[in-house]
Amino acid sequence: MIKDYEIMQVENPNASIVQLDSIERANIDSQVATAKQYPRDIKRALQNSIAMATIDEDTARSMSYALPRGGKPITGPSVHLAKLVVSNWGNIRAEAKVVQITDSQVVSRGTCWDLENNVATAFEVRRSIKGKNGRFTDDMITVTGNAANAIAFRNAVFAVIPKAITEKVSKAAQEYITGDMSDENKLIVRRKKCLDFFHDEYGIDE
């Protein structure tokens, strides 16, 4: 006969999940209501984004990327530009996270939701975690996951925020990098500086 015992009550394991879902829905409803009450100022968002993108040369350079592919550089707006525009756009939710790790791939999903216009999108990015020596180490899988997150975040944001906005910010950053080329001597100096940067940073020759 068991003399010492304790009666334990087991709660519904789904109760906490339901409660969290309710809290999340309430938070989203509150954010949507706030977005409708305080709509964004598009002109100010654009001006602030351009001001931040051109605050210095290093920041302006980070607004784009260049990768050598097949002997030619592939360029485009970077995740840094996406984060900068999101921070100024307002009334928006954006995130990226690894949703799956298989034997050979890491899968990241980026989501972006314009709360004011009720426009949302999601992108999945897959990256291999296998090399010539087999499956990557845990540290390298983390690095690969972070890279996939950056791409997924960028793609999701650029699918929601109008291209007219992101292109203006990108163009302003490029013009800031180019600098004053009003005469031939200034053009030659700036040209050499740009070529040296692409050579040192990305291994792209003239």
Side-chain angles (χ1 to χ4, degrees):
M1 179 177 178
I2 301 176
K3 295 182 179 180
D4 298 327
Y5 63 89
E6 180 182 1
I7 299 176
M8 299 182 65
Q9 182 176 357
V10 179
E11 297 181 357
N12 182 357
N14 295 322
S16 58
I17 298 176
V18 172
Q19 185 179 9
L20 288 174
D21 288 344
S22 299
I23 294 173
E24 180 65 12
R25 282 196 297 270
N27 288 336
I28 292 174
D29 289 343
S30 175
Q31 291 174 20
V32 171
T34 302
K36 296 296 184 182
Q37 186 176 359
Y38 302 101
R40 70 176 57 90
D41 184 332
I42 295 178
K43 185 177 181 180
R44 185 177 65 180
L46 176 60
Q47 290 174 341
N48 288 347
S49 295
I50 291 175
M52 291 176 65
T54 57
I55 195 169
D56 56 46
E57 198 164 313
D58 288 338
T59 302
R61 284 200 182 109
S62 72
M63 295 297 103
S64 61
Y65 69 88
L67 296 173
R69 288 291 185 273
K72 296 181 179 180
I74 298 176
T75 62
S78 69
V79 65
H80 300 294
L81 191 150
K83 291 179 178 179
L84 185 147
V85 175
V86 163
S87 69
N88 290 296
W89 192 242
N91 296 334
I92 194 169
R93 289 163 58 105
E95 67 173 5
K97 59 184 177 182
V98 173
V99 294
Q100 186 181 12
I101 300 176
T102 69
D103 289 338
S104 59
Q105 290 183 326
V106 60
V107 183
S108 173
R109 179 179 297 126
T111 58
C112 185
W113 183 9
D114 188 328
L115 299 165
E116 185 176 325
N117 295 329
N118 197 24
V119 176
T121 188
F123 272 87
E124 279 194 356
V125 172
R126 297 173 179 269
R127 284 293 177 268
S128 173
I129 53 174
K130 280 191 173 181
K132 60 181 181 180
N133 296 323
R135 196 170 190 264
F136 291 172
T137 63
D138 290 345
D139 287 342
M140 280 304 300
I141 291 175
T142 299
V143 171
T144 305
N146 290 338
N149 282 341
I151 298 170
F153 181 92
R154 182 195 67 194
N155 291 350
V157 167
F158 289 155
V160 171
I161 296 181
K163 191 175 181 180
I165 299 297
T166 57
E167 280 192 342
K168 282 183 172 60
V169 179
S170 180
K171 183 178 180 182
Q174 292 297 324
E175 289 177 350
Y176 184 87
I177 296 171
T178 303
D180 183 5
M181 297 189 299
S182 56
D183 61 51
E184 185 176 355
N185 289 332
K186 291 179 180 178
L187 172 61
I188 292 173
V189 171
R190 294 299 302 180
R191 178 180 181 275
K192 183 179 185 304
K193 190 173 182 179
C194 289
L195 290 175
D196 289 345
F197 168 77
F198 278 103
H199 180 271
D200 296 340
E201 190 74 13
Y202 303 112
I204 300 173
D205 60 23
E206 184 175 342

